[in-house]
Amino acid sequence: MTVDVGAQLRKGVVEFCVLGLLEREPMYGWQLSDRLVKAGMIASIGTLYPMLSRLRNQGLVTAYDEASASGPVRKYYRLTAEGDAQLETFRLQWGPFAATVHDLVGKDES
């Protein structure tokens, strides 16, 4: 049985990538999806909306409607204070975690 390592790694961090993008600016779903697909973090927009729903239920993001000059009203997502705190916790743990994993599985380059 072959394990899709990339999928397992993405699964663990993609929600924090969404929080990181929303920390920069509020975004609507298609914007988020485009950025995440281009970065190889999700396969399609279909995986984004269930994730946004979970993040909203956890109180990490909120949504609001905004008129669009180029079409229908768009639902924008933004980070909440709780989401910001969760993202900061992730950042504090990510560096040491990644370094530990590298120490355990990395090859000596000597």
Side-chain angles (χ1 to χ4, degrees):
M1 178 175 160
T2 303
V3 175
D4 183 346
V5 175
Q8 291 297 314
L9 291 171
R10 286 187 300 274
K11 185 178 179 183
V13 299
V14 69
E15 289 184 358
F16 295 102
C17 292
V18 169
L19 297 181
L21 288 171
L22 294 178
E23 179 189 43
R24 297 174 187 169
E25 65 178 318
M27 300 175 93
Y28 58 95
W30 190 260
Q31 275 181 299
L32 278 167
S33 174
D34 187 54
R35 294 285 301 273
L36 294 167
V37 168
K38 284 180 180 173
M41 295 305 292
I42 62 172
S44 71
I45 197 167
T47 58
L48 178 65
Y49 287 108
M51 183 186 328
L52 288 170
S53 180
R54 282 192 307 277
L55 293 172
R56 285 178 71 189
N57 288 339
Q58 294 169 4
L60 304 178
V61 302
T62 188
Y64 63 95
D65 293 333
E66 189 170 298
S68 168
S70 62
V73 170
R74 291 181 174 155
K75 183 179 294 285
Y76 278 78
Y77 298 88
R78 69 174 154 227
L79 203 59
T80 64
E82 190 173 339
D84 188 55
Q86 189 77 5
L87 179 59
E88 187 57 28
T89 298
F90 174 80
R91 285 181 176 142
L92 291 171
Q93 294 179 17
W94 177 253
F97 175 79
T100 298
V101 171
H102 185 268
D103 287 345
L104 294 172
V105 303
K107 290 187 174 185
D108 283 339
E109 295 183 17
S110 49

